[in-house]
């Protein structure tokens, strides 16, 4: 009788977590006899799961492809790995790039294009085919963790709003059928445009004309343990404020006492417009049954160039915004209303998309040029790298912004008269990509320095080189003098630990809870 009751309870638990329980008399006997091992495993997994909740937030990048000199998929991945980028969002599901991302140690968010939303929303078969072709065909080698359904559908193609939630549901059902619904979440990027008055955040609400659609989206996200995708640009918020807010507020810079930004209803102090925007979304959500769904900012950024009437689109402002954003996100805290929910964020964007329509600023959000060189000093180039204290006194690398011709002269000398071993930067070798003078010079300068320092060799190269205590190795490219045994085919954890929104992975939570509940039931056997 006890066995029957426990079997029924286990069956309920399995069904609740979309799993199937098939037990014969023999397998039930084995199930019971392995009770202790199962309990031990369950508790260990629970402990590991709890550890995942302590992991910090991450910063990723968006990869747009509307540029005239788009690198090959292999070159894109090499650039990502060389700059220690561990999370990316694609605006489609380009199969060539997904293949190149295989075993790269990078979490990938793929997207359903706006053009495909209508088709997938009207046909579960179309959704199943899309998942089979663009997701199931690449996992687990390519670490796909989320599907973004469209991009700002409510703002850009409002006529498709009625089909947006059905499209999300169809894709989720397809993931369930492929047993991929736990590791891969479905959501849709929402623009700040649908929050007409984001300040004060405590009074913010979604545009009432979208109430039905927003309600459906939130219900779906809650039921599937997914997250809310928000596109939030302080650059536009600052421009639209017409001088009400100081630019320091948009750039995460300190505010003087007379410029403090305070919500008059909650008395929360906002140090940045970014935090206020995220809180505006949280408060807009709370109007729907006090829902709190973790927010991931799927787009934010600052243009580094603009037209004559876009004077705030400068390299200095873009660099300040991006680097302060990274510091802000990686402090692992949320906005004032939700301080315990970190704000995982994707920066817009990897490359400058020169073919995009619109003003110059629209083409100038990239943090890297298509050859992999930086538009400005970007936080991913220093965050998370292994610091060392080796006998050589560090590494010798090319100075950021050094003259290209001078770098080439130094590279030629190092690989020639300097007798550096430059085989690793030859075509097809581990350190060839990204194929830039700066990257190749760094490798050659360092190899020379490590070999010759003990007999008087220096790290100067006519002022184009500097020493650093940060190991410049990446992926399978191991710089001479590195003692980092973890390098070799995988990217270093640059911008925060792997994981989803909030403090832990939504994909991991259901499985941990499932194992925990099964363990509790088995403890009565």
């Amino acid at each position: 009788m006890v066995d029957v009751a426990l079997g029924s309870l286990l069956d309920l638990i399995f069904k609740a977590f979309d799993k199937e329980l098939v037990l014969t008399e023999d397998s039930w006997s084995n199930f019971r006899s392995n009770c202790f091992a199962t309990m031990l495993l369950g508790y260990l997994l629970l402990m590991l799961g709890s550890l995942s909740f302590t992991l910090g937030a991450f910063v990723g990048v968006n990869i747009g492809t509307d540029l005239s000199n788009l690198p090959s998929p292999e070159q894109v991945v090499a650039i990502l790995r060389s700059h220690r980028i561990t999370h990316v969002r694609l605006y489609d599901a380009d199969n060539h790039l997904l293949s190149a991302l295989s075993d790269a140690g990078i979490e990938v968010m793929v997207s359903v294009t706006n053009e495909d939303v209508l088709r997938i929303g009207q046909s579960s078969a179309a959704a199943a085919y899309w998942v089979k072709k663009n997701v199931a065909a690449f996992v687990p080698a390519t670490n796909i963790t989320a599907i973004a359904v469209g991009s700002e559908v409510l703002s850009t193609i409002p006529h498709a709003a009625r089909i947006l939630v059905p499209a999300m549901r169809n894709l989720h059902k397809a993931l369930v059928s492929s047993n991929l619904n736990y590791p891969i979440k479905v959501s849709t990027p929402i623009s700040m445009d649908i929050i007409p008055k984001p300040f004060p955040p405590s009074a913010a609400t979604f545009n009432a004309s979208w109430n039905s659609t927003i309600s459906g989206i939130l219900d779906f996200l809650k039921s599937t343990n997914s997250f809310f995708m928000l596109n939030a640009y302080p650059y536009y918020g600052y421009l639209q404020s017409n001088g009400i807010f100081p630019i320091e507020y948009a750039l995460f810079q300190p505010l003087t006492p007379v410029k403090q930004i305070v919500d008059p209803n909650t008395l929360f102090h906002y140090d940045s417009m970014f935090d206020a925007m995220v809180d505006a979304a949280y408060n807009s959500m709370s109007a729907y049954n006090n829902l709190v769904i973790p927010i991931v900012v799927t787009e934010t950024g600052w243009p580094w160039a603009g037209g004559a009437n876009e004077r705030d689109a400068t390299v200095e402002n873009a660099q300040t915004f991006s680097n302060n954003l990274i510091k802000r996100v990686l402090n692992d805290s949320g906005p004032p209303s939700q301080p315990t929910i970190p704000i995982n964020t994707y920066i817009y964007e990897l490359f400058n998309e020169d073919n995009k329509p619109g003003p110059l600023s629209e083409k100038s959000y990239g943090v890297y040029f298509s050859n992999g060189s930086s538009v400005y000093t970007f936080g991913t180039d220093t965050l998370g790298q292994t610091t060392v204290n080796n006998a050589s006194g560090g590494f010798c690398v090319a100075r950021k912004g050094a003259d290209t011709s001078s770098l080439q002269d130094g590279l030629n000398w190092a690989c020639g008269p300097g007798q550096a071993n430059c085989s690793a930067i030859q075509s097809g070798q581990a350190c060839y990509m990204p194929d830039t003078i700066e990257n190749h010079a760094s490798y050659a300068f360092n190899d020379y320095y490590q070999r010759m320092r003990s007999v008087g060799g220096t790290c100067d190269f006519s002022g184009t080189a500097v020493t650093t205590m940060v190991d410049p190795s990446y992926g399978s490219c191991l710089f001479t003098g590195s003692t980092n045994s973890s390098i070799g085919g995988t990217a270093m954890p640059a911008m925060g630990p792997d994981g989803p929104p909030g403090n832990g992975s939504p994909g991991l939570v259901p499985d941990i809870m499932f194992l925990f509940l099964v363990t509790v039931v088995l403890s009565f056997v």
Side-chain angles (χ1 to χ4, degrees):
M1 185 66 184
V2 174
D3 281 355
V4 173
L6 289 174
S8 299
L9 184 54
L10 281 170
D11 187 53
L12 287 174
I13 293 172
F14 271 67
K15 288 180 178 178
F17 286 86
D18 290 328
K19 298 181 182 293
E20 185 178 2
L21 175 64
V22 179
L23 289 177
T24 63
E25 183 176 352
D26 289 339
S27 62
W28 174 241
S29 178
N30 291 333
F31 206 21
R32 293 180 59 186
S33 65
N34 291 323
C35 175
F36 178 76
T38 306
M39 289 175 64
L40 180 59
L41 176 62
Y43 286 126
L44 285 174
L45 287 171
L46 185 63
M47 290 173 66
L48 289 173
S50 66
L51 286 176
S52 74
F53 281 84
T54 66
L55 296 179
F58 66 75
V59 179
V61 294
N62 289 273
I63 303 179
T65 57
D66 201 3
L67 58 154
S68 55
N69 190 25
L70 179 67
S72 69
E74 292 73 21
Q75 289 173 325
V76 170
V77 174
I79 290 170
L80 293 171
R81 294 173 69 171
S82 70
H83 293 289
R84 279 81 171 171
I85 294 170
T86 58
H87 295 74
V88 298
R89 173 192 172 207
L90 312 184
Y91 285 96
D92 51 24
D94 181 84
N95 284 191
H96 296 296
L97 185 51
L98 288 174
S99 293
L101 284 163
S102 175
D103 299 318
I106 297 173
E107 287 196 12
V108 183
M109 179 187 297
V110 295
S111 299
V112 175
T113 64
N114 283 351
E115 291 75 18
D116 282 338
V117 170
L118 278 172
R119 180 173 57 85
I120 289 175
Q122 294 172 331
S123 168
S124 57
Y129 177 75
W130 193 95
V131 167
K132 178 182 178 181
K133 176 178 181 289
N134 300 307
V135 178
F138 297 97
V139 296
T142 300
N143 189 15
I144 299 173
T145 58
I147 299 174
V149 184
S151 179
E152 301 184 350
V153 171
L154 303 186
S155 304
T156 57
I157 50 170
H159 64 279
R162 62 179 179 80
I163 212 71
L164 178 58
V165 175
M168 296 167 71
R169 288 177 181 150
N170 285 343
L171 287 165
H172 177 71
K173 290 176 182 177
L175 289 174
V176 171
S177 297
S178 300
N179 201 28
L180 294 172
N181 53 305
Y182 292 128
I184 301 173
K185 297 302 171 185
V186 177
S187 187
T188 184
I190 301 292
S191 168
M192 282 295 298
D193 291 345
I194 69 165
I195 303 176
K197 296 180 180 179
F199 196 88
S202 61
T205 59
F206 292 122
N207 186 324
S209 63
W210 295 118
N211 277 353
S212 177
T213 302
I214 291 295
S215 179
I217 291 172
L218 295 178
D219 287 344
F220 171 83
L221 299 180
K222 181 181 179 182
S223 66
T224 60
N225 196 31
S226 188
F227 46 92
F228 188 93
M229 295 179 176
L230 178 69
N231 291 353
Y233 287 87
Y235 173 71
Y236 293 121
Y238 168 69
L239 294 182
Q240 293 164 6
S241 73
N242 295 316
I244 295 176
F245 296 114
I247 193 169
E248 294 86 354
Y249 178 55
L251 295 175
F252 300 90
Q253 293 178 318
L255 300 174
T256 63
V258 296
K259 291 184 178 180
Q260 294 295 306
I261 309 298
V262 180
D263 187 314
N265 302 316
T266 61
L267 300 184
F268 286 147
H269 284 246
Y270 286 92
D271 296 325
S272 71
M273 185 178 290
F274 178 81
D275 279 74
M277 287 178 160
V278 174
D279 250 357
Y282 271 123
N283 281 290
S284 297
M285 263 192 262
S286 68
Y288 295 81
N289 299 319
N290 291 313
L291 277 177
V292 177
I293 296 171
I295 290 175
V296 168
V297 175
T298 36
E299 283 184 26
T300 191
W302 196 285
W304 58 270
N309 62 337
E310 298 174 301
R311 58 187 177 87
D312 296 302
T314 66
V315 170
E316 181 182 3
N317 284 346
Q319 176 174 308
T320 298
F321 177 86
S322 294
N323 291 322
N324 284 344
L325 169 72
I326 291 171
K327 293 176 184 176
R328 162 65 189 91
V329 172
L330 296 187
N331 73 12
D332 295 341
S333 67
S337 78
Q338 303 295 333
T340 63
I341 306 179
I343 313 170
N344 291 338
T345 299
Y346 292 82
I347 291 177
Y348 184 82
E349 60 182 329
L350 188 66
F351 301 124
N352 297 295
E353 296 187 271
D354 58 322
N355 290 334
K356 289 193 72 171
L360 178 60
S361 61
E362 285 291 325
K363 311 170 192 287
S364 307
Y365 275 90
V367 295
Y368 299 113
F369 295 108
S370 58
N371 66 0
S373 60
S374 303
V375 175
Y376 49 80
T377 302
F378 187 53
T380 63
D381 295 329
T382 57
L383 287 172
Q385 301 181 20
T386 303
T387 57
V388 299
N389 186 20
N390 59 19
S392 69
F395 300 89
C396 180
V397 296
R399 184 188 296 276
K400 289 285 185 183
D403 177 68
T404 301
S405 61
S406 298
L407 281 175
Q408 185 67 63
D409 290 341
L411 173 61
N412 293 340
W413 185 90
C415 294
Q419 299 182 24
N421 183 353
C422 297
S423 59
I425 54 175
Q426 303 307 306
S427 179
Q429 298 306 306
C431 300
Y432 178 71
M433 295 300 299
D435 181 15
T436 66
I437 296 297
E438 181 181 310
N439 182 62
H440 291 177
S442 289
Y443 186 88
F445 290 176
N446 180 69
D447 189 84
Y448 166 82
Y449 179 63
Q450 301 296 338
R451 293 169 184 271
M452 305 302 292
R453 194 188 76 85
S454 62
V455 293
T458 62
C459 179
D460 182 69
F461 294 92
S462 300
T464 63
V466 295
T467 55
T468 177
M469 294 304 293
V470 175
D471 188 343
S473 302
Y474 60 92
S476 58
C477 175
L478 194 65
F479 272 52
T480 307
S482 173
T483 58
N484 185 4
S485 60
S486 69
I487 295 177
T490 59
M492 296 176 66
M495 304 170 65
D498 292 346
N503 287 339
S505 173
L508 183 62
V509 172
D511 284 337
I512 293 169
M513 288 303 299
F514 165 74
L515 286 166
F516 176 69
L517 289 172
V518 170
T519 301
V520 170
V521 172
L522 287 174
S523 67
F524 290 98
V525 178

